[in-house]
């Protein structure tokens, strides 16, 4: 039995049948819903199982949703559910400890940088405390006990010279210290632990951190920090 045309509801015979959009059409009935222009399988556009031409194809647009009391209530309810789920996840993960972080090259480089900065701050604090600790020995305690010879000065001398080996051991540079490099390009520091320099600047006390980064002091500016290894050459 032959089907009916979706446009004129008449019988569609095989010689004039068009099967499209899950419906059957006469070739002359397969036209745009708006302008009635005859269409074919190459130039039609379907919308809600109806054929349209390119000019009259319905444009889909988004509608704005007003903040009605019902929408605000749903929004508040969703927010409260999110907070409840967050608290449940927090309680479940509580007490499980911290996850192990792999020692990637980037983390190792940051760790070395932090250690070097800590050493520098330690030297600064030690020098400040040393300069502040030299004032008390200038007082004349030997005049109070003339009969005890030089025992108090000896005690103060021991107290004064005991930190010297510790300071020298802490300030001793690694085997790679003392190397001098010359900058072959300009470089602007991208982080607080890096230094900026210009082409031709001399880098003092260079220490190799890894294949891509070094640590040293710019002779011209006195800045100390990290610098890229491919921006300098050994002198």
């Amino acid at each position: 039995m032959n089907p009916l045309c979706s446009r004129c509801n008449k019988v569609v015979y095989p010689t004039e049948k068009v099967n499209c959009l899950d419906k059957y059409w006469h070739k002359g009935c397969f036209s745009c819903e708006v302008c009635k222009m005859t269409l074919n399988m190459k130039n039609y556009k379907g919308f809600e199982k109806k054929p349209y031409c390119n000019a009259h194809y319905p444009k889909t647009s988004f509608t704005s949703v007003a903040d009605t009391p019902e929408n605000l209530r749903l929004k508040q309810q969703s927010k409260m559910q999110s907070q409840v789920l967050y608290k449940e996840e927090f309680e479940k993960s509580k007490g499980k400890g911290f996850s192990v972080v792999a020692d990637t090259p980037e983390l190792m480089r940051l760790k070395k940088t932090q250690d070097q900065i800590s050493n520098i701050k330690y030297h600064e604090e030690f020098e400040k405390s040393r300069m502040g600790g030299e004032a008390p020995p200038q007082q004349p305690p030997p005049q109070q006990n003339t009969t005890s010879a030089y025992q108090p000065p000896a005690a103060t001398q021991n107290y004064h010279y005991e930190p010297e080996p510790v300071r020298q051991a802490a300030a001793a540079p690694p085997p790679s210290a003392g190397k001098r490099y010359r900058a072959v390009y300009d470089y602007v520091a991208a982080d607080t632990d890096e230094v900026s320099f210009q082409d031709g600047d001399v880098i003092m006390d260079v220490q190799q951190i890894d294949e891509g980064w070094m640590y040293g002091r710019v002779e011209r500016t006195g800045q100390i920090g990290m610098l890229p290894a491919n921006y300098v050459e050994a002198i």
Side-chain angles (χ1 to χ4, degrees):
M1 182 177 179
N2 294 322
L4 299 178
C5 176
S6 297
R7 180 78 67 191
C8 63
N9 291 326
K10 295 181 179 180
V11 177
V12 180
Y13 296 99
T15 56
E16 55 181 358
K17 182 172 64 176
V18 176
N19 185 2
C20 185
L21 300 174
D22 297 333
K23 298 179 181 180
Y24 296 96
W25 317 76
H26 292 105
K27 290 183 180 180
C29 294
F30 188 63
S31 59
C32 176
E33 290 287 330
V34 179
C35 64
K36 306 304 178 181
M37 181 183 73
T38 304
L39 303 173
N40 54 43
M41 300 300 292
K42 295 182 179 180
N43 61 0
Y44 87 96
K45 287 189 175 182
F47 182 77
E48 294 183 352
K49 295 187 177 182
K50 295 180 180 180
Y52 292 90
C53 64
N54 189 30
H56 296 100
Y57 182 74
K59 300 294 191 301
T60 57
S61 59
F62 298 98
T63 58
S64 60
V65 180
D67 289 335
T68 60
E70 181 65 17
N71 290 336
L72 292 175
R73 185 184 66 81
L74 293 175
K75 182 179 179 182
Q76 184 68 19
Q77 185 177 359
S78 300
K79 185 176 180 181
M80 293 175 62
Q81 290 178 353
S82 299
Q83 292 178 352
V84 171
L85 292 176
Y86 169 76
K87 290 181 180 179
E88 290 180 356
E89 293 295 332
F90 177 77
E91 293 296 332
K92 290 180 181 179
S93 61
K94 189 176 180 181
K96 291 184 178 180
F98 299 96
S99 58
V100 179
V101 180
D103 290 335
T104 61
E106 181 67 17
L107 291 177
M108 294 178 67
R109 181 181 73 83
L110 293 175
K111 184 178 179 181
K112 290 182 180 178
T113 303
Q114 292 176 353
D115 293 341
Q116 292 172 353
I117 294 175
S118 299
N119 291 334
I120 293 173
K121 290 183 178 180
Y122 168 76
H123 296 328
E124 292 178 355
E125 295 295 332
F126 180 79
E127 291 296 332
K128 290 179 181 179
S129 62
R130 183 172 175 273
M131 294 299 294
E134 289 180 356
Q138 294 180 1
Q139 298 179 358
Q143 295 180 1
Q144 298 178 359
N145 297 324
T146 56
T147 58
S148 60
Y150 294 97
Q151 292 180 359
T156 56
Q157 289 178 0
N158 291 336
Y159 170 77
H160 186 67
Y161 286 101
E162 282 179 357
E164 289 296 332
V166 177
R167 181 180 64 83
Q168 293 177 359
S176 61
K179 292 185 179 181
R180 294 162 56 90
Y181 284 75
R182 179 182 290 107
V184 295
Y185 304 103
D186 294 344
Y187 181 74
V188 179
D191 205 345
T192 56
D193 58 351
E194 299 179 5
V195 294
S196 301
F197 51 83
Q198 299 178 359
D199 184 10
D201 284 349
V202 176
I203 314 299
M204 308 287 293
D205 302 331
V206 177
Q207 304 176 22
Q208 187 75 30
I209 297 177
D210 53 28
E211 295 181 357
W213 290 90
M214 295 180 171
Y215 187 88
R217 175 173 58 87
V218 182
E219 185 179 25
R220 179 175 58 84
T221 61
Q223 294 181 347
I224 300 175
M226 298 178 58
L227 59 146
N230 58 347
Y231 276 64
V232 297
E233 62 180 3
I235 300 177

